[in-house]
Amino acid sequence: MTSLTQWNAVILIEWGRAFHDQYDIIDKHTQSGLELVEKYVKFVKERTEIEQNYAKQLRNLTKKYNPKRGCKEEQECRFSNHQSFLDILNEMNDYAGQRELIAENMMMNICIEITKYLQELKMERKTHLSEAKKAQQSLESTYKQLDCSKKRFEREWREADKAAQYAEKTDQDINATKADVEKAKQQANMRTHIAEECKNDYAAQLQKYNKEQSQFYFSDMPLIFNKLQDMDERRVRKLAQGYVLFSDTERHVMPIIGKCLEGVTKAGTNVNERNDSIALIEQYKSGFERPGDLDFEDYSQGINRASSDSSLGTLGTPKGPLELLGKNRSKPFWLFSKKSKVGCYFPPMKEWIS
Amino acid sequence: MTSLTQWNAVILIEWGRAFHDQYDIIDKHTQSGLELVEKYVKFVKERTEIEQNYAKQLRNLTKKYNPKRGCKEEQECRFSNHQSFLDILNEMNDYAGQRELIAENMMMNICIEITKYLQELKMERKTHLSEAKKAQQSLESTYKQLDCSKKRFEREWREADKAAQYAEKTDQDINATKADVEKAKQQANMRTHIAEECKNDYAAQLQKYNKEQSQFYFSDMPLIFNKLQDMDERRVRKLAQGYVLFSDTERHVMPIIGKCLEGVTKAGTNVNERNDSIALIEQYKSGFERPGDLDFEDYSQGINRASSDSSLGTLGTPKGPLELLGKNRSKPFWLFSKKSKVGCYFPPMKEWIS
């Protein structure tokens, strides 16, 4: 025999001991529990849709900014500041892939998994509740039988009572014959005998009912309520696991997402402005020498008469007035050294104005 | 004087030394550099819009699943598996807030900041390019002056040559007077003198041009190209900082997002199925005793005639046939002890069927 405190401890944790006339409460409670699970699955499903949509938008963004094959942007990848932008686009694309993974894993490990379990729980609950109804209905039908046999007992005693009074009256009637008195007493005894039988039947029915009622309240219903409690606790455990998975799914990809972000940082630190300046030099540095000074073209040292319309860049053969006049021959044109290259320089300069 | 290797080293990193006829290349290169910055700002802006939209969807989701004040769901928060779902919704809401923070910081620290800097760079570039055009135009006008004075020199020497030949011819003409000869010689000397002046003017112009050309190619343009290089390198540095900020902005909130996910896990582990079962007991445990056995109602120990339609639960006052007949008085109804409570039990049982 357990002590009172132990007994209370037991009562406190078992529905079968705590409830006996609260069937509807347990019905509602287990129902709303299953509804919470359905609601949570729906919530997670909608989160995965948001996640998918987010990932899709990120993918489209990176696609939009990725250069077409062989276009100008692609050629500019020799410059680190252009190349790093492409690296960032690639990291963003991987990032989007991780968000998709979150959505897929939530769908698989939470929505599908819990929905399957939910169907099993719904079936189990239905079974327990119908068992309870069956037990209750059988108790009620036994009660009806009891009520009938009790009413019959009451009716028959009333008849026996009348018969007894008639027998007494006849016995005291001076005009009644011995035969009349005997007949009335026999009638009364017969009625009393029938009533006694009804009384015994009622007693048996009552005994049967009380046995069933006790079985119902102390054994059948507690067992069913405990089964429903166990089912509800398994539901809660499963739901709690689903809650934890909701964050674990995302935490699982956090390191890879972290790697993507590191990749972006790396792309940023890989940029080297000086190297980019040099890359431009490597590609385009001029083949030309800087132009030297223009030469002095000394017509006085001899002019080609044909080239009377000459301009810079033409040279005559030495014959000119100074020679004829025999003047200034000694004067050194110290500031002019080599042939004019003026023809070479101006094409580029023309471009500048255009 | 630097050694050749040092000299090459210098040439390799300075646009001013590497380029002299590549103005258009530098124009295009610095332009496409600024376009990359604009493109990056646009890219980040679109990322922030995606982030804002994502956060908005998460907020709406949590709002949708949060129970209205005082509704059934809210009352069920006494159950840990219901309460934890609300905790998860709150964590998701904080999570959404962090995504909004990412969007806002990217907008402030990258888009707005770099756009401001971009405007300054555009202005600076314009200034450098117009300086280059001015320098080039002035060199070209000097070149035109040089060409003119050179042509005049050539023309004048032709005149002087003619005059010299005429003087020589006159000198050898036996019919020419001394005066004719003298006049022709004076004319020739005068022409030669003019031509000499033109020659000096051409020499001066050439000297001026060569000085300007050398200034242009060896000083002005290198200076401008170096300014453009410096500007472009500042642009690249700023862009590289923007690249790093793109990941830093998100990495900055990662710990708080991690806390939100920890909060979700905590909500999951806080769920206690046994406590939830007990919470239901605490709230609804029956005030009723389990029903005891029904009593035997012994009409044979006396019946109230008025209650001929009586059913279980009614009792007559003791007066009945057995008493009258003086029978069975000693018989003990050992199996019935206390008053019937049947009236109390069935209301709940009725509910069960409904």
Side-chain angles (χ1 to χ4, degrees), chain B residues 32-250:
Chain B
S32 97
L34 294 175
E35 282 163 4
L36 176 63
V37 177
E38 277 174 331
K39 188 175 169 185
Y40 178 65
V41 168
K42 194 160 164 297
F43 164 79
V44 175
K45 195 166 166 305
E46 290 180 33
R47 164 77 194 272
T48 63
E49 282 155 10
I50 291 171
E51 214 53 49
Q52 283 286 9
N53 176 40
Y54 176 56
K56 189 157 162 291
Q57 287 181 299
L58 290 178
R59 278 205 191 278
N60 292 342
L61 181 66
T62 57
K63 202 169 166 197
K64 175 179 174 185
Y65 282 86
N66 250 312
K68 318 281 154 292
R69 287 268 142 268
C71 71
K72 171 170 153 295
E73 285 94 335
E74 205 189 25
Q75 293 151 19
E76 276 172 334
C77 293
R78 81 178 62 79
F79 301 112
S80 65
N81 69 109
H82 288 260
Q83 181 53 57
S84 286
F85 181 54
L86 299 190
D87 297 343
I88 288 168
L89 293 178
N90 289 334
E91 293 296 350
M92 282 307 296
N93 201 47
D94 295 350
Y95 184 103
Q98 292 307 313
R99 304 309 309 195
E100 279 166 356
L101 202 61
I102 290 174
E104 285 156 18
N105 290 345
M106 280 183 175
M107 184 56 79
M108 286 300 297
N109 305 336
I110 302 177
C111 298
I112 294 177
E113 174 64 19
I114 291 188
T115 304
K116 212 167 92 267
Y117 194 74
L118 187 65
Q119 297 320 312
E120 295 165 19
L121 289 179
K122 281 178 172 175
M123 298 263 292
E124 181 181 350
R125 177 171 173 274
K126 228 171 136 188
T127 314
H128 297 326
L129 294 185
S130 64
E131 273 176 26
K133 281 222 177 73
K134 272 216 298 296
Q136 164 224 321
Q137 280 156 3
S138 103
L139 180 62
E140 284 177 320
S141 74
T142 307
Y143 176 76
K144 288 193 185 68
Q145 290 170 31
L146 170 63
D147 201 34
C148 292
S149 69
K150 184 183 171 213
K151 287 201 173 83
R152 198 161 75 255
F153 165 49
E154 185 188 8
R155 199 168 48 250
E156 287 307 325
W157 266 115
R158 211 173 293 112
E159 290 308 312
D161 187 31
K162 285 206 205 96
Q165 285 169 41
Y166 179 74
E168 194 178 5
K169 200 160 127 290
T170 311
D171 191 30
Q172 288 161 9
D173 182 351
I174 47 150
N175 303 325
T177 66
K178 269 196 157 41
D180 295 338
V181 171
E182 194 50 39
K183 188 158 167 285
K185 283 200 167 159
Q186 276 171 10
Q187 185 64 20
N189 287 335
M190 191 261 283
R191 278 281 164 209
T192 303
H193 179 68
I194 291 167
E196 283 287 357
E197 280 172 345
C198 289
K199 180 179 179 175
N200 292 337
D201 175 64
Y202 165 45
Q205 285 294 337
L206 185 63
Q207 192 165 15
K208 181 183 178 221
Y209 174 77
N210 281 334
K211 188 155 165 295
E212 266 192 36
Q213 179 184 260
S214 147
Q215 166 83 11
F216 178 83
Y217 282 113
F218 288 87
S219 167
D220 298 350
M221 292 310 287
L223 192 64
I224 290 164
F225 285 172
N226 285 345
K227 283 180 187 168
L228 283 163
Q229 176 179 3
D230 176 67
M231 183 211 77
D232 198 58
E233 291 181 2
R234 275 183 279 116
R235 169 194 70 79
V236 171
R237 257 197 304 284
K238 189 76 176 180
L239 183 57
Q241 290 163 7
Y243 289 161
V244 172
L245 274 172
F246 188 67
S247 49
D248 281 358
T249 307
E250 185 160 359

Side-chain angles (χ1 to χ4, degrees), chain A residues 307-322:
Chain A
S307 65
S308 60
D309 61 338
S310 73
S311 71
L312 285 172
T314 67
L315 263 180
T317 51
K319 190 170 190 310
L322 280 177

Side-chain angles (χ1 to χ4, degrees), chain A residues 98-152:
Chain A
Q98 292 306 313
R99 304 310 307 195
E100 279 165 357
L101 202 61
I102 291 174
E104 285 156 19
N105 290 345
M106 280 184 175
M107 185 55 79
M108 285 300 297
N109 305 337
I110 303 177
C111 299
I112 294 176
E113 174 65 20
I114 292 188
T115 304
K116 211 169 92 266
Y117 194 75
L118 188 65
Q119 296 321 312
E120 296 165 19
L121 289 179
K122 281 178 171 176
M123 298 263 292
E124 183 180 348
R125 177 170 172 276
K126 228 170 139 193
T127 314
H128 297 325
L129 295 185
S130 64
E131 271 176 29
K133 281 222 178 76
K134 271 218 296 297
Q136 165 225 323
Q137 280 155 2
S138 104
L139 181 62
E140 285 179 320
S141 75
T142 307
Y143 177 75
K144 289 195 185 72
Q145 290 171 31
L146 171 63
D147 202 34
C148 292
S149 71
K150 184 183 171 213
K151 288 203 172 86
R152 199 162 73 255

Side-chain angles (χ1 to χ4, degrees), chain A residues 63-336:
Chain A
K63 203 170 162 191
K64 175 179 173 185
Y65 282 86
N66 250 313
K68 316 284 155 288
R69 288 269 141 265
C71 69
K72 171 170 152 292
E73 285 94 335
E74 207 188 24
Q75 294 152 20
E76 276 172 331
C77 293
R78 82 177 61 80
F79 302 112
S80 65
N81 70 108
H82 288 258
Q83 181 54 57
S84 285
F85 181 55
L86 300 189
D87 296 344
I88 288 169
L89 293 178
N90 289 335
E91 294 297 349
M92 282 307 296
N93 201 46
D94 295 351
Y95 184 104
Q98 292 306 313
R99 304 310 307 195
E100 279 165 357
L101 202 61
I102 291 174
E104 285 156 19
N105 290 345
M106 280 184 175
M107 185 55 79
M108 285 300 297
N109 305 337
I110 303 177
C111 299
I112 294 176
E113 174 65 20
I114 292 188
T115 304
K116 211 169 92 266
Y117 194 75
L118 188 65
Q119 296 321 312
E120 296 165 19
L121 289 179
K122 281 178 171 176
M123 298 263 292
E124 183 180 348
R125 177 170 172 276
K126 228 170 139 193
T127 314
H128 297 325
L129 295 185
S130 64
E131 271 176 29
K133 281 222 178 76
K134 271 218 296 297
Q136 165 225 323
Q137 280 155 2
S138 104
L139 181 62
E140 285 179 320
S141 75
T142 307
Y143 177 75
K144 289 195 185 72
Q145 290 171 31
L146 171 63
D147 202 34
C148 292
S149 71
K150 184 183 171 213
K151 288 203 172 86
R152 199 162 73 255
F153 165 50
E154 184 188 8
R155 199 167 52 248
E156 288 304 326
W157 267 116
R158 212 173 291 112
E159 291 306 313
D161 187 34
K162 286 205 206 100
Q165 287 171 38
Y166 178 74
E168 194 180 9
K169 200 159 129 288
T170 312
D171 194 30
Q172 289 161 6
D173 182 350
I174 49 160
N175 303 324
T177 64
K178 267 199 160 43
D180 293 337
V181 172
E182 193 50 38
K183 186 156 167 283
K185 285 200 170 158
Q186 277 170 13
Q187 185 66 19
N189 288 336
M190 190 260 287
R191 279 281 164 206
T192 303
H193 177 70
I194 292 167
E196 284 288 355
E197 280 172 346
C198 290
K199 180 178 178 176
N200 292 338
D201 174 63
Y202 165 47
Q205 286 293 337
L206 184 64
Q207 192 165 14
K208 181 184 177 219
Y209 173 77
N210 281 335
K211 188 156 164 292
E212 263 191 38
Q213 180 184 259
S214 148
Q215 167 82 12
F216 178 83
Y217 282 113
F218 288 86
S219 166
D220 298 349
M221 291 310 288
L223 191 65
I224 290 164
F225 285 172
N226 284 346
K227 282 181 189 167
L228 284 163
Q229 175 179 3
D230 177 67
M231 183 211 77
D232 197 58
E233 291 180 2
R234 274 182 281 118
R235 169 193 70 78
V236 172
R237 256 196 305 284
K238 190 75 177 180
L239 183 57
Q241 289 162 8
Y243 289 162
V244 172
L245 274 172
F246 188 66
S247 49
D248 281 358
T249 307
E250 185 160 358
R251 292 167 101 178
H252 180 69
V253 302
M254 284 294 246
I256 303 128
I257 282 180
K259 285 255 171 297
C260 294
L261 296 178
E262 279 170 33
V264 171
T265 307
K266 194 164 171 300
T269 49
N270 282 347
V271 174
N272 182 315
E273 63 273 15
R274 181 48 54 105
N275 290 351
D276 285 0
S277 294
I278 292 167
L280 188 73
I281 292 170
E282 291 309 314
Q283 186 184 9
Y284 292 112
K285 63 169 174 260
S286 174
F288 292 110
E289 283 295 309
R290 278 192 187 65
D293 289 339
L294 298 188
D295 289 342
F296 185 79
E297 300 176 30
D298 191 353
Y299 300 96
S300 60
Q301 291 300 314
I303 225 78
N304 175 350
R305 281 173 190 77
S307 65
S308 60
D309 61 338
S310 73
S311 71
L312 285 172
T314 67
L315 263 180
T317 51
K319 190 170 190 310
L322 280 177
E323 192 180 357
L324 299 172
L325 298 171
K327 276 192 180 161
N328 300 330
R329 187 167 283 146
S330 65
K331 185 174 185 186
F333 297 112
W334 54 270
L335 40 76
F336 317 112

